[in-house]
Structure formats: structure tokens, C-alpha cells
Amino acid sequence: MSWDWEKLKEQQKKGDMPPQIDEFVKKINDFKLPGGAFLVVLIIAALLSTTMVYTVKPGEVGVIQRFGKYIRTTQPGLHFKLPAGIELVKKVNIKLVRTEEFGSVSIAARETRFSQESSATLMLTGDLNVGLVPWIVQYRIEDPYNYLFKVRDVQRFLRDMSEATMRLVIGDRSIDEVISKRDEIAVEARELLQKELDQAETGVHIATIEMKKTDVPEAVQPSLNEVNQATQEKEQMIYQAKEDYNKAIPAAKGEADRTIKAAEGYALDRVNRAKGDAARFTSVFNEYIKAQDVTKRRLYLEALKEILPKMEQKYIIDSEQKNILPLLNLGKQNGAGK
């Protein structure tokens, strides 16, 4: 049954009310499509309606493409788009932290990939040693547009750049630093890797790089042990030499300072004594100039005062006395008579 469009238009021009709902439903029921065409139309309409509605979960964003071209990015929630074949939605989780492991693949789980991962972590250090360096890269998608459209295979690119960056960092360090300074290496590798990923516009943010236990291949383990032992002996000898140095040098410096101080004291004493003697001589000389006879007599008396107490026997005679020889034997005669 066809619609009476002319009558409907006349009613609208006259300002009459549109047909009642029951009349509208009756007309729809009376309208029949030949065969199963009505069912096909309903199925197509249902399919189109389901492809026009989509839901973005929390932590995700929806990237809409129209005939393959990027149009817009939608946030979490219920959204509408054009039917399938016209617009396509790709959901990207920007909160999920993804993990890439290097050198820790299980043989039982991935036998075909184990040799590749082992060779990837076999690295040459700056001191020409070989080390097994396993690590983990954790990252998340920061820019969905760059992640989807700027790089063809972001995961593969990330793995290749991670390996290249780690080899660059390890190649600048010795095997001892690679083993003992893993945190420092992880920080430096993260900064370099993030710089490369930003330049390539991958839309990836590196959350962290975790360095696992670094070791050496079994074939070179004995040689490394000998090197470590020799290094320890070398350090022990250096510490012993420093200890002896710290003991001997301060003692020698102390002895030298003491000798210098003693010499300075002796020199000061000698100078002061010389200055005192010179001053005393000068004062005596000045008095001698004033009264030469008195000074001579005083000097003579002072000299006798020092000499006479040291003499055992004293004979005082007159200068006019003659024949004094017998007097010198008086003591012996008295002693003989006893």
C-alpha cells in the first residue's frame, strides 16, 4: 500500500494535525515488501546500527579512520561513527605498561628464540671482555597517533633500538662496572633509548629499564676469576703500601719538624748568648775606658777569686825574700818526721 503524500502535504498546508500514531502504525503494517526483502532490510539495518555504535573502555582511546585516513581520537565512553566500511575504530590502551625482555627467554617455552636472545645479550665491554647482559624494558603508549601511523612495527623497532642502545652503553664500561653498576647503566640506557624513540616519533614512553644479574660466559669464567683474584691482590698490595706510607711519612715529618725546631732553638740560644756576651763585654769595656786602673784591679781580683779556691797549698812570701827553695820542702820534712 502506497502513502498518500499529496493528501499529507495538503493537511500540512492547512495546518491540520499529522495523522494519528495508530494510523501510522497501521500503514506500516499494511506496507509489505515482496518476498523476504523486508527481512533482509531489517538485518542490514541491524548490522549498520551495531557498527555505528562503539564503546571505549577506561584507560583506552579510540582512533577513528575514514577510508584509512585519520580523523579523530575519542576518549573513554559510548560513541557513534559512520557504518563499517566508511569509518574504522582502533582502540589503543594508553595506561597498560608493556614489557619486553632481553636474555631471559625460557628454553622450554621458546626454544627457537632462545639462541637469538642469548646472542642479543652477549656484549663486548669497554675493556674487551664479554658479558651476558639481560635486561627488561617497560613502556606504555603515550601518543596513539604516532604509535599507529608513524612507524610500521613499533615493537620490533623498540627491540632493535633497545639492543643498540644497551650495546652502546656497555661498550663504554669495563666488565667490573657492568657487573657492579647496573642501576647507573639502566638510567643512562633509558635516557638514550627515549631520545631515539622520540626522534623516530614512535609515540612510546619508556617507564623503566631494569638490569638483571650480569654474568660472563662459562668458557671465560675461570679466566675472569683469575683476573678478579689478581685485581684483589693488586688492591691489597696498594692498600698495604698506602698503610705503610701513612705510617712512615708522618713519623718522618714529625722527626724532621722536631729536628728543625731543636736547631732553631739552639740557634736562638747561641745568638742570644753571643749577644749577651757582647753586651757584657761592651759594658765592661766602657767602664774600663772610664777608669782603667780600677777595672784592671777588679779584673785581677776576680781572676784570683776564681783561681785561688782551686789551689791546694798556698805560700805567701815577700817579693824581697831570697833563698826560698828550702821553704818548698817544709811539708815533706814534716811528713817524714811523723
Side-chain angles (χ1 to χ4, degrees):
M1 179 179 180
S2 62
W3 295 92
D4 193 352
W5 297 108
E6 298 295 334
K7 183 178 179 180
L8 186 60
K9 290 181 180 180
E10 291 178 359
Q11 291 178 354
Q12 290 178 351
K13 290 180 181 180
K14 294 178 181 181
D16 295 340
M17 296 295 293
Q20 300 297 326
I21 297 300
D22 54 353
E23 183 180 356
F24 180 73
V25 173
K26 180 179 179 182
K27 289 182 178 181
I28 291 177
N29 293 332
D30 293 340
F31 182 75
K32 300 291 184 179
L33 288 176
F38 182 72
L39 180 61
V40 173
V41 171
L42 289 179
I43 294 174
I44 294 175
L47 291 175
L48 292 176
S49 63
T50 54
T51 58
M52 294 174 64
V53 179
Y54 67 95
T55 301
V56 179
K57 298 180 181 179
E60 295 181 342
V61 293
V63 179
I64 305 301
Q65 295 176 258
R66 182 179 300 168
F67 298 113
K69 181 181 179 181
Y70 169 77
I71 299 300
R72 64 185 180 277
T73 300
T74 57
Q75 301 301 319
L78 182 65
H79 300 277
F80 297 91
K81 66 179 185 64
L82 296 180
I86 300 177
E87 287 187 347
L88 174 67
V89 57
K90 290 183 179 180
K91 301 176 183 179
V92 180
N93 194 325
I94 60 174
K95 299 295 184 180
L96 177 64
V97 177
R98 296 168 171 82
T99 301
E100 291 291 336
E101 298 187 11
F102 298 83
S104 59
V105 181
S106 173
I107 298 178
R110 302 177 183 178
E111 293 182 354
T112 58
R113 190 178 172 185
F114 179 75
S115 59
Q116 297 177 357
E117 295 295 339
S118 298
S119 61
T121 58
L122 193 64
M123 298 186 182
L124 184 66
T125 61
D127 56 353
L128 302 181
N129 284 304
V130 178
L132 293 173
V133 186
W135 73 96
I136 295 176
V137 177
Q138 293 181 333
Y139 68 97
R140 60 180 179 83
I141 300 173
E142 189 175 42
D143 189 337
Y145 174 78
N146 288 344
Y147 180 79
L148 292 175
F149 304 114
K150 290 299 183 70
V151 179
R152 181 183 296 272
D153 189 349
V154 177
Q155 183 179 9
R156 184 61 184 176
F157 182 79
L158 174 64
R159 294 190 64 86
D160 293 341
M161 290 308 303
S162 298
E163 180 181 346
T165 302
M166 190 60 66
R167 290 187 182 277
L168 177 63
V169 175
I170 296 299
D172 293 335
R173 298 176 180 269
S174 64
I175 187 66
D176 294 335
E177 292 177 329
V178 173
I179 294 175
S180 60
K181 298 182 179 180
R182 291 181 294 175
D183 294 339
E184 183 178 336
I185 293 174
V187 173
E188 183 178 355
R190 179 188 175 279
E191 294 176 354
L192 292 177
L193 178 59
Q194 185 64 63
K195 182 179 179 180
E196 295 296 334
L197 294 178
D198 292 342
Q199 290 180 352
E201 297 182 346
T202 58
V204 171
H205 173 73
I206 302 299
T208 182
I209 292 181
E210 178 184 354
M211 301 294 297
K212 292 189 174 182
K213 182 180 179 181
T214 303
D215 206 343
V216 297
E218 295 182 359
V220 300
Q221 186 66 49
S223 300
L224 182 63
N225 294 336
E226 294 178 359
V227 172
N228 292 334
Q229 183 178 359
T231 303
Q232 293 176 0
E233 293 177 355
K234 173 185 175 182
E235 293 177 353
Q236 184 178 1
M237 294 179 66
I238 292 174
Y239 292 149
Q240 184 65 36
K242 289 182 178 179
E243 182 179 359
D244 296 340
Y245 173 87
N246 294 331
K247 289 181 179 179
I249 296 302
K253 288 183 178 180
E255 183 65 22
D257 292 339
R258 187 184 64 81
T259 304
I260 293 172
K261 295 296 181 182
E264 291 176 351
Y266 178 75
L268 183 61
D269 179 69
R270 295 292 295 175
V271 170
N272 291 334
R273 285 178 180 272
K275 288 181 178 179
D277 294 341
R280 183 166 57 86
F281 178 80
T282 302
S283 63
V284 172
F285 180 75
N286 292 332
E287 294 298 328
Y288 174 76
I289 296 299
K290 294 178 182 178
Q292 297 184 5
D293 294 337
V294 175
T295 304
K296 286 181 179 181
R297 183 175 295 275
R298 183 175 63 82
L299 292 174
Y300 176 74
L301 295 176
E302 289 178 356
L304 290 178
K305 184 179 178 181
E306 293 181 2
I307 296 172
L308 289 176
K310 301 178 181 179
M311 299 177 63
E312 297 180 357
Q313 296 180 352
K314 305 175 185 63
Y315 300 96
I316 302 174
I317 60 175
D318 189 0
S319 61
E320 302 295 334
Q321 179 69 37
K322 297 179 180 180
N323 298 325
I324 62 174
L325 292 177
L327 295 177
L328 299 176
N329 298 324
L330 292 177
K332 292 183 179 180
Q333 293 175 358
N334 292 335
K338 294 179 180 179

PDB file of all heavy atoms in Angstrom, residues 232-265:
ATOM      1  N   GLN A 232      92.207  -8.268  43.132  1.00  0.00           N
ATOM      2  CA  GLN A 232      92.105  -8.160  44.588  1.00  0.00           C
ATOM      3  C   GLN A 232      93.482  -8.123  45.240  1.00  0.00           C
ATOM      4  O   GLN A 232      93.717  -7.344  46.180  1.00  0.00           O
ATOM      5  CB  GLN A 232      91.284  -9.320  45.130  1.00  0.00           C
ATOM      6  CG  GLN A 232      89.820  -9.288  44.715  1.00  0.00           C
ATOM      7  CD  GLN A 232      89.048 -10.498  45.192  1.00  0.00           C
ATOM      8  OE1 GLN A 232      89.616 -11.384  45.842  1.00  0.00           O
ATOM      9  NE2 GLN A 232      87.761 -10.542  44.889  1.00  0.00           N
ATOM     10  N   GLU A 233      94.394  -8.973  44.750  1.00  0.00           N
ATOM     11  CA  GLU A 233      95.756  -8.945  45.294  1.00  0.00           C
ATOM     12  C   GLU A 233      96.426  -7.596  45.022  1.00  0.00           C
ATOM     13  O   GLU A 233      97.143  -7.057  45.882  1.00  0.00           O
ATOM     14  CB  GLU A 233      96.570 -10.084  44.681  1.00  0.00           C
ATOM     15  CG  GLU A 233      96.098 -11.481  45.108  1.00  0.00           C
ATOM     16  CD  GLU A 233      96.886 -12.579  44.431  1.00  0.00           C
ATOM     17  OE1 GLU A 233      97.731 -12.251  43.573  1.00  0.00           O
ATOM     18  OE2 GLU A 233      96.653 -13.765  44.747  1.00  0.00           O
ATOM     19  N   LYS A 234      96.207  -7.082  43.838  1.00  0.00           N
ATOM     20  CA  LYS A 234      96.771  -5.772  43.499  1.00  0.00           C
ATOM     21  C   LYS A 234      96.229  -4.697  44.441  1.00  0.00           C
ATOM     22  O   LYS A 234      96.989  -3.876  44.981  1.00  0.00           O
ATOM     23  CB  LYS A 234      96.432  -5.442  42.043  1.00  0.00           C
ATOM     24  CG  LYS A 234      96.820  -4.028  41.637  1.00  0.00           C
ATOM     25  CD  LYS A 234      96.334  -3.729  40.226  1.00  0.00           C
ATOM     26  CE  LYS A 234      96.599  -2.281  39.859  1.00  0.00           C
ATOM     27  NZ  LYS A 234      96.079  -1.959  38.499  1.00  0.00           N
ATOM     28  N   GLU A 235      94.917  -4.696  44.648  1.00  0.00           N
ATOM     29  CA  GLU A 235      94.323  -3.701  45.538  1.00  0.00           C
ATOM     30  C   GLU A 235      94.818  -3.886  46.970  1.00  0.00           C
ATOM     31  O   GLU A 235      95.061  -2.899  47.677  1.00  0.00           O
ATOM     32  CB  GLU A 235      92.798  -3.813  45.483  1.00  0.00           C
ATOM     33  CG  GLU A 235      92.211  -3.413  44.137  1.00  0.00           C
ATOM     34  CD  GLU A 235      90.714  -3.593  44.091  1.00  0.00           C
ATOM     35  OE1 GLU A 235      90.172  -4.160  45.066  1.00  0.00           O
ATOM     36  OE2 GLU A 235      90.092  -3.189  43.090  1.00  0.00           O
ATOM     37  N   GLN A 236      94.996  -5.161  47.392  1.00  0.00           N
ATOM     38  CA  GLN A 236      95.505  -5.400  48.735  1.00  0.00           C
ATOM     39  C   GLN A 236      96.920  -4.853  48.897  1.00  0.00           C
ATOM     40  O   GLN A 236      97.257  -4.244  49.927  1.00  0.00           O
ATOM     41  CB  GLN A 236      95.473  -6.899  49.041  1.00  0.00           C
ATOM     42  CG  GLN A 236      95.902  -7.251  50.456  1.00  0.00           C
ATOM     43  CD  GLN A 236      95.818  -8.736  50.726  1.00  0.00           C
ATOM     44  OE1 GLN A 236      95.451  -9.520  49.829  1.00  0.00           O
ATOM     45  NE2 GLN A 236      96.141  -9.152  51.933  1.00  0.00           N
ATOM     46  N   MET A 237      97.765  -5.078  47.887  1.00  0.00           N
ATOM     47  CA  MET A 237      99.122  -4.545  47.945  1.00  0.00           C
ATOM     48  C   MET A 237      99.118  -3.016  47.946  1.00  0.00           C
ATOM     49  O   MET A 237      99.919  -2.374  48.651  1.00  0.00           O
ATOM     50  CB  MET A 237      99.933  -5.072  46.758  1.00  0.00           C
ATOM     51  CG  MET A 237     100.173  -6.584  46.793  1.00  0.00           C
ATOM     52  SD  MET A 237     101.103  -7.164  45.356  1.00  0.00           S
ATOM     53  CE  MET A 237     102.680  -6.364  45.642  1.00  0.00           C
ATOM     54  N   ILE A 238      98.232  -2.444  47.176  1.00  0.00           N
ATOM     55  CA  ILE A 238      98.146  -0.980  47.154  1.00  0.00           C
ATOM     56  C   ILE A 238      97.728  -0.453  48.520  1.00  0.00           C
ATOM     57  O   ILE A 238      98.292   0.528  49.033  1.00  0.00           O
ATOM     58  CB  ILE A 238      97.166  -0.524  46.056  1.00  0.00           C
ATOM     59  CG1 ILE A 238      97.741  -0.842  44.671  1.00  0.00           C
ATOM     60  CG2 ILE A 238      96.857   0.960  46.184  1.00  0.00           C
ATOM     61  CD1 ILE A 238      96.780  -0.556  43.534  1.00  0.00           C
ATOM     62  N   TYR A 239      96.725  -1.125  49.139  1.00  0.00           N
ATOM     63  CA  TYR A 239      96.278  -0.685  50.459  1.00  0.00           C
ATOM     64  C   TYR A 239      97.386  -0.849  51.491  1.00  0.00           C
ATOM     65  O   TYR A 239      97.563   0.011  52.367  1.00  0.00           O
ATOM     66  CB  TYR A 239      95.051  -1.482  50.881  1.00  0.00           C
ATOM     67  CG  TYR A 239      93.824  -1.189  50.058  1.00  0.00           C
ATOM     68  CD1 TYR A 239      92.853  -2.162  49.831  1.00  0.00           C
ATOM     69  CD2 TYR A 239      93.635   0.072  49.500  1.00  0.00           C
ATOM     70  CE1 TYR A 239      91.726  -1.889  49.072  1.00  0.00           C
ATOM     71  CE2 TYR A 239      92.509   0.347  48.729  1.00  0.00           C
ATOM     72  CZ  TYR A 239      91.570  -0.630  48.523  1.00  0.00           C
ATOM     73  OH  TYR A 239      90.457  -0.359  47.773  1.00  0.00           O
ATOM     74  N   GLN A 240      98.153  -1.966  51.387  1.00  0.00           N
ATOM     75  CA  GLN A 240      99.246  -2.183  52.325  1.00  0.00           C
ATOM     76  C   GLN A 240     100.320  -1.110  52.146  1.00  0.00           C
ATOM     77  O   GLN A 240     100.867  -0.581  53.130  1.00  0.00           O
ATOM     78  CB  GLN A 240      99.838  -3.586  52.112  1.00  0.00           C
ATOM     79  CG  GLN A 240     100.926  -3.955  53.110  1.00  0.00           C
ATOM     80  CD  GLN A 240     100.405  -4.059  54.522  1.00  0.00           C
ATOM     81  OE1 GLN A 240      99.273  -4.502  54.729  1.00  0.00           O
ATOM     82  NE2 GLN A 240     101.209  -3.656  55.496  1.00  0.00           N
ATOM     83  N   ALA A 241     100.621  -0.796  50.891  1.00  0.00           N
ATOM     84  CA  ALA A 241     101.627   0.248  50.628  1.00  0.00           C
ATOM     85  C   ALA A 241     101.148   1.602  51.151  1.00  0.00           C
ATOM     86  O   ALA A 241     101.926   2.369  51.739  1.00  0.00           O
ATOM     87  CB  ALA A 241     101.911   0.327  49.127  1.00  0.00           C
ATOM     88  N   LYS A 242      99.878   1.893  50.955  1.00  0.00           N
ATOM     89  CA  LYS A 242      99.343   3.151  51.475  1.00  0.00           C
ATOM     90  C   LYS A 242      99.390   3.181  53.001  1.00  0.00           C
ATOM     91  O   LYS A 242      99.670   4.235  53.605  1.00  0.00           O
ATOM     92  CB  LYS A 242      97.909   3.350  50.989  1.00  0.00           C
ATOM     93  CG  LYS A 242      97.804   3.674  49.508  1.00  0.00           C
ATOM     94  CD  LYS A 242      96.362   3.917  49.110  1.00  0.00           C
ATOM     95  CE  LYS A 242      96.259   4.295  47.631  1.00  0.00           C
ATOM     96  NZ  LYS A 242      94.853   4.523  47.216  1.00  0.00           N
ATOM     97  N   GLU A 243      99.118   2.032  53.618  1.00  0.00           N
ATOM     98  CA  GLU A 243      99.172   1.970  55.079  1.00  0.00           C
ATOM     99  C   GLU A 243     100.594   2.223  55.575  1.00  0.00           C
ATOM    100  O   GLU A 243     100.811   2.998  56.528  1.00  0.00           O
ATOM    101  CB  GLU A 243      98.667   0.609  55.557  1.00  0.00           C
ATOM    102  CG  GLU A 243      98.629   0.467  57.069  1.00  0.00           C
ATOM    103  CD  GLU A 243      98.099  -0.888  57.502  1.00  0.00           C
ATOM    104  OE1 GLU A 243      97.737  -1.702  56.624  1.00  0.00           O
ATOM    105  OE2 GLU A 243      98.058  -1.151  58.725  1.00  0.00           O
ATOM    106  N   ASP A 244     101.578   1.558  54.945  1.00  0.00           N
ATOM    107  CA  ASP A 244     102.975   1.797  55.334  1.00  0.00           C
ATOM    108  C   ASP A 244     103.375   3.244  55.068  1.00  0.00           C
ATOM    109  O   ASP A 244     104.106   3.851  55.866  1.00  0.00           O
ATOM    110  CB  ASP A 244     103.900   0.846  54.558  1.00  0.00           C
ATOM    111  CG  ASP A 244     103.648  -0.621  54.913  1.00  0.00           C
ATOM    112  OD1 ASP A 244     103.066  -0.871  56.001  1.00  0.00           O
ATOM    113  OD2 ASP A 244     104.004  -1.507  54.110  1.00  0.00           O
ATOM    114  N   TYR A 245     102.908   3.762  53.967  1.00  0.00           N
ATOM    115  CA  TYR A 245     103.208   5.165  53.635  1.00  0.00           C
ATOM    116  C   TYR A 245     102.635   6.101  54.704  1.00  0.00           C
ATOM    117  O   TYR A 245     103.309   7.049  55.145  1.00  0.00           O
ATOM    118  CB  TYR A 245     102.625   5.491  52.264  1.00  0.00           C
ATOM    119  CG  TYR A 245     102.724   6.942  51.865  1.00  0.00           C
ATOM    120  CD1 TYR A 245     103.861   7.427  51.237  1.00  0.00           C
ATOM    121  CD2 TYR A 245     101.673   7.818  52.104  1.00  0.00           C
ATOM    122  CE1 TYR A 245     103.956   8.756  50.873  1.00  0.00           C
ATOM    123  CE2 TYR A 245     101.762   9.151  51.740  1.00  0.00           C
ATOM    124  CZ  TYR A 245     102.899   9.610  51.126  1.00  0.00           C
ATOM    125  OH  TYR A 245     102.983  10.920  50.770  1.00  0.00           O
ATOM    126  N   ASN A 246     101.398   5.822  55.109  1.00  0.00           N
ATOM    127  CA  ASN A 246     100.760   6.668  56.119  1.00  0.00           C
ATOM    128  C   ASN A 246     101.442   6.555  57.478  1.00  0.00           C
ATOM    129  O   ASN A 246     101.343   7.484  58.299  1.00  0.00           O
ATOM    130  CB  ASN A 246      99.280   6.308  56.248  1.00  0.00           C
ATOM    131  CG  ASN A 246      98.492   6.644  54.993  1.00  0.00           C
ATOM    132  OD1 ASN A 246      98.840   7.579  54.259  1.00  0.00           O
ATOM    133  ND2 ASN A 246      97.428   5.898  54.735  1.00  0.00           N
ATOM    134  N   LYS A 247     102.088   5.434  57.720  1.00  0.00           N
ATOM    135  CA  LYS A 247     102.816   5.295  58.978  1.00  0.00           C
ATOM    136  C   LYS A 247     104.190   5.953  58.899  1.00  0.00           C
ATOM    137  O   LYS A 247     104.609   6.613  59.861  1.00  0.00           O
ATOM    138  CB  LYS A 247     102.979   3.811  59.322  1.00  0.00           C
ATOM    139  CG  LYS A 247     101.693   3.117  59.732  1.00  0.00           C
ATOM    140  CD  LYS A 247     101.958   1.667  60.068  1.00  0.00           C
ATOM    141  CE  LYS A 247     100.668   0.956  60.498  1.00  0.00           C
ATOM    142  NZ  LYS A 247     100.907  -0.473  60.819  1.00  0.00           N
ATOM    143  N   ALA A 248     104.930   5.744  57.818  1.00  0.00           N
ATOM    144  CA  ALA A 248     106.313   6.211  57.728  1.00  0.00           C
ATOM    145  C   ALA A 248     106.399   7.713  57.472  1.00  0.00           C
ATOM    146  O   ALA A 248     107.197   8.414  58.107  1.00  0.00           O
ATOM    147  CB  ALA A 248     107.048   5.451  56.623  1.00  0.00           C
ATOM    148  N   ILE A 249     105.609   8.200  56.559  1.00  0.00           N
ATOM    149  CA  ILE A 249     105.712   9.605  56.185  1.00  0.00           C
ATOM    150  C   ILE A 249     105.380  10.549  57.348  1.00  0.00           C
ATOM    151  O   ILE A 249     106.149  11.480  57.631  1.00  0.00           O
ATOM    152  CB  ILE A 249     104.835   9.902  54.960  1.00  0.00           C
ATOM    153  CG1 ILE A 249     105.338   9.111  53.743  1.00  0.00           C
ATOM    154  CG2 ILE A 249     104.819  11.394  54.659  1.00  0.00           C
ATOM    155  CD1 ILE A 249     106.774   9.395  53.382  1.00  0.00           C
ATOM    156  N   PRO A 250     104.280  10.339  58.076  1.00  0.00           N
ATOM    157  CA  PRO A 250     104.032  11.235  59.203  1.00  0.00           C
ATOM    158  C   PRO A 250     105.119  11.171  60.271  1.00  0.00           C
ATOM    159  O   PRO A 250     105.467  12.197  60.869  1.00  0.00           O
ATOM    160  CB  PRO A 250     102.682  10.750  59.745  1.00  0.00           C
ATOM    161  CG  PRO A 250     102.016  10.105  58.581  1.00  0.00           C
ATOM    162  CD  PRO A 250     103.117   9.468  57.820  1.00  0.00           C
ATOM    163  N   ALA A 251     105.660   9.950  60.529  1.00  0.00           N
ATOM    164  CA  ALA A 251     106.741   9.836  61.509  1.00  0.00           C
ATOM    165  C   ALA A 251     107.974  10.599  61.046  1.00  0.00           C
ATOM    166  O   ALA A 251     108.624  11.314  61.833  1.00  0.00           O
ATOM    167  CB  ALA A 251     107.072   8.365  61.740  1.00  0.00           C
ATOM    168  N   ALA A 252     108.321  10.453  59.766  1.00  0.00           N
ATOM    169  CA  ALA A 252     109.477  11.174  59.236  1.00  0.00           C
ATOM    170  C   ALA A 252     109.253  12.680  59.283  1.00  0.00           C
ATOM    171  O   ALA A 252     110.151  13.459  59.634  1.00  0.00           O
ATOM    172  CB  ALA A 252     109.766  10.723  57.807  1.00  0.00           C
ATOM    173  N   LYS A 253     108.056  13.102  58.951  1.00  0.00           N
ATOM    174  CA  LYS A 253     107.758  14.528  59.007  1.00  0.00           C
ATOM    175  C   LYS A 253     107.839  15.041  60.440  1.00  0.00           C
ATOM    176  O   LYS A 253     108.339  16.145  60.690  1.00  0.00           O
ATOM    177  CB  LYS A 253     106.364  14.789  58.426  1.00  0.00           C
ATOM    178  CG  LYS A 253     106.286  14.637  56.912  1.00  0.00           C
ATOM    179  CD  LYS A 253     104.896  14.977  56.397  1.00  0.00           C
ATOM    180  CE  LYS A 253     104.840  14.861  54.868  1.00  0.00           C
ATOM    181  NZ  LYS A 253     103.480  15.191  54.359  1.00  0.00           N
ATOM    182  N   GLY A 254     107.350  14.246  61.394  1.00  0.00           N
ATOM    183  CA  GLY A 254     107.437  14.647  62.789  1.00  0.00           C
ATOM    184  C   GLY A 254     108.868  14.764  63.264  1.00  0.00           C
ATOM    185  O   GLY A 254     109.235  15.714  63.973  1.00  0.00           O
ATOM    186  N   GLU A 255     109.691  13.763  62.878  1.00  0.00           N
ATOM    187  CA  GLU A 255     111.106  13.806  63.264  1.00  0.00           C
ATOM    188  C   GLU A 255     111.799  15.003  62.614  1.00  0.00           C
ATOM    189  O   GLU A 255     112.625  15.691  63.256  1.00  0.00           O
ATOM    190  CB  GLU A 255     111.781  12.506  62.835  1.00  0.00           C
ATOM    191  CG  GLU A 255     113.254  12.394  63.233  1.00  0.00           C
ATOM    192  CD  GLU A 255     113.446  12.346  64.740  1.00  0.00           C
ATOM    193  OE1 GLU A 255     112.481  11.984  65.449  1.00  0.00           O
ATOM    194  OE2 GLU A 255     114.554  12.664  65.196  1.00  0.00           O
ATOM    195  N   ALA A 256     111.474  15.264  61.369  1.00  0.00           N
ATOM    196  CA  ALA A 256     112.078  16.413  60.692  1.00  0.00           C
ATOM    197  C   ALA A 256     111.660  17.716  61.361  1.00  0.00           C
ATOM    198  O   ALA A 256     112.488  18.612  61.581  1.00  0.00           O
ATOM    199  CB  ALA A 256     111.674  16.422  59.219  1.00  0.00           C
ATOM    200  N   ASP A 257     110.374  17.812  61.704  1.00  0.00           N
ATOM    201  CA  ASP A 257     109.919  19.033  62.385  1.00  0.00           C
ATOM    202  C   ASP A 257     110.603  19.200  63.744  1.00  0.00           C
ATOM    203  O   ASP A 257     110.972  20.317  64.129  1.00  0.00           O
ATOM    204  CB  ASP A 257     108.398  18.976  62.556  1.00  0.00           C
ATOM    205  CG  ASP A 257     107.668  19.063  61.224  1.00  0.00           C
ATOM    206  OD1 ASP A 257     108.288  19.551  60.253  1.00  0.00           O
ATOM    207  OD2 ASP A 257     106.504  18.643  61.157  1.00  0.00           O
ATOM    208  N   ARG A 258     110.762  18.074  64.474  1.00  0.00           N
ATOM    209  CA  ARG A 258     111.417  18.146  65.776  1.00  0.00           C
ATOM    210  C   ARG A 258     112.875  18.592  65.634  1.00  0.00           C
ATOM    211  O   ARG A 258     113.363  19.429  66.404  1.00  0.00           O
ATOM    212  CB  ARG A 258     111.352  16.788  66.477  1.00  0.00           C
ATOM    213  CG  ARG A 258     111.858  16.798  67.905  1.00  0.00           C
ATOM    214  CD  ARG A 258     111.851  15.396  68.479  1.00  0.00           C
ATOM    215  NE  ARG A 258     112.781  14.537  67.761  1.00  0.00           N
ATOM    216  CZ  ARG A 258     114.091  14.534  67.998  1.00  0.00           C
ATOM    217  NH1 ARG A 258     114.631  15.343  68.903  1.00  0.00           N
ATOM    218  NH2 ARG A 258     114.890  13.731  67.322  1.00  0.00           N
ATOM    219  N   THR A 259     113.582  18.023  64.644  1.00  0.00           N
ATOM    220  CA  THR A 259     114.975  18.414  64.411  1.00  0.00           C
ATOM    221  C   THR A 259     115.085  19.885  64.031  1.00  0.00           C
ATOM    222  O   THR A 259     115.978  20.614  64.501  1.00  0.00           O
ATOM    223  CB  THR A 259     115.586  17.535  63.313  1.00  0.00           C
ATOM    224  OG1 THR A 259     115.455  16.151  63.686  1.00  0.00           O
ATOM    225  CG2 THR A 259     117.051  17.865  63.103  1.00  0.00           C
ATOM    226  N   ILE A 260     114.166  20.324  63.192  1.00  0.00           N
ATOM    227  CA  ILE A 260     114.187  21.727  62.779  1.00  0.00           C
ATOM    228  C   ILE A 260     113.934  22.642  63.971  1.00  0.00           C
ATOM    229  O   ILE A 260     114.621  23.667  64.156  1.00  0.00           O
ATOM    230  CB  ILE A 260     113.154  21.969  61.663  1.00  0.00           C
ATOM    231  CG1 ILE A 260     113.577  21.232  60.375  1.00  0.00           C
ATOM    232  CG2 ILE A 260     112.982  23.455  61.387  1.00  0.00           C
ATOM    233  CD1 ILE A 260     112.537  21.259  59.281  1.00  0.00           C
ATOM    234  N   LYS A 261     112.965  22.270  64.795  1.00  0.00           N
ATOM    235  CA  LYS A 261     112.665  23.082  65.974  1.00  0.00           C
ATOM    236  C   LYS A 261     113.856  23.115  66.935  1.00  0.00           C
ATOM    237  O   LYS A 261     114.177  24.169  67.517  1.00  0.00           O
ATOM    238  CB  LYS A 261     111.424  22.548  66.677  1.00  0.00           C
ATOM    239  CG  LYS A 261     110.143  22.647  65.860  1.00  0.00           C
ATOM    240  CD  LYS A 261     109.780  24.081  65.580  1.00  0.00           C
ATOM    241  CE  LYS A 261     108.475  24.155  64.792  1.00  0.00           C
ATOM    242  NZ  LYS A 261     108.123  25.562  64.456  1.00  0.00           N
ATOM    243  N   ALA A 262     114.496  21.945  67.133  1.00  0.00           N
ATOM    244  CA  ALA A 262     115.663  21.901  68.018  1.00  0.00           C
ATOM    245  C   ALA A 262     116.793  22.772  67.469  1.00  0.00           C
ATOM    246  O   ALA A 262     117.461  23.511  68.212  1.00  0.00           O
ATOM    247  CB  ALA A 262     116.137  20.460  68.177  1.00  0.00           C
ATOM    248  N   ALA A 263     117.023  22.693  66.154  1.00  0.00           N
ATOM    249  CA  ALA A 263     118.073  23.515  65.544  1.00  0.00           C
ATOM    250  C   ALA A 263     117.734  24.992  65.670  1.00  0.00           C
ATOM    251  O   ALA A 263     118.618  25.826  65.957  1.00  0.00           O
ATOM    252  CB  ALA A 263     118.243  23.134  64.079  1.00  0.00           C
ATOM    253  N   GLU A 264     116.473  25.323  65.468  1.00  0.00           N
ATOM    254  CA  GLU A 264     116.082  26.720  65.604  1.00  0.00           C
ATOM    255  C   GLU A 264     116.261  27.201  67.038  1.00  0.00           C
ATOM    256  O   GLU A 264     116.710  28.331  67.290  1.00  0.00           O
ATOM    257  CB  GLU A 264     114.622  26.898  65.153  1.00  0.00           C
ATOM    258  CG  GLU A 264     114.420  26.708  63.655  1.00  0.00           C
ATOM    259  CD  GLU A 264     112.949  26.790  63.265  1.00  0.00           C
ATOM    260  OE1 GLU A 264     112.108  26.816  64.194  1.00  0.00           O
ATOM    261  OE2 GLU A 264     112.653  26.833  62.058  1.00  0.00           O
ATOM    262  N   GLY A 265     115.919  26.313  68.023  1.00  0.00           N
ATOM    263  CA  GLY A 265     116.116  26.681  69.422  1.00  0.00           C
ATOM    264  C   GLY A 265     117.592  26.856  69.778  1.00  0.00           C
ATOM    265  O   GLY A 265     117.968  27.803  70.491  1.00  0.00           O
TER     266      GLY A 265
END
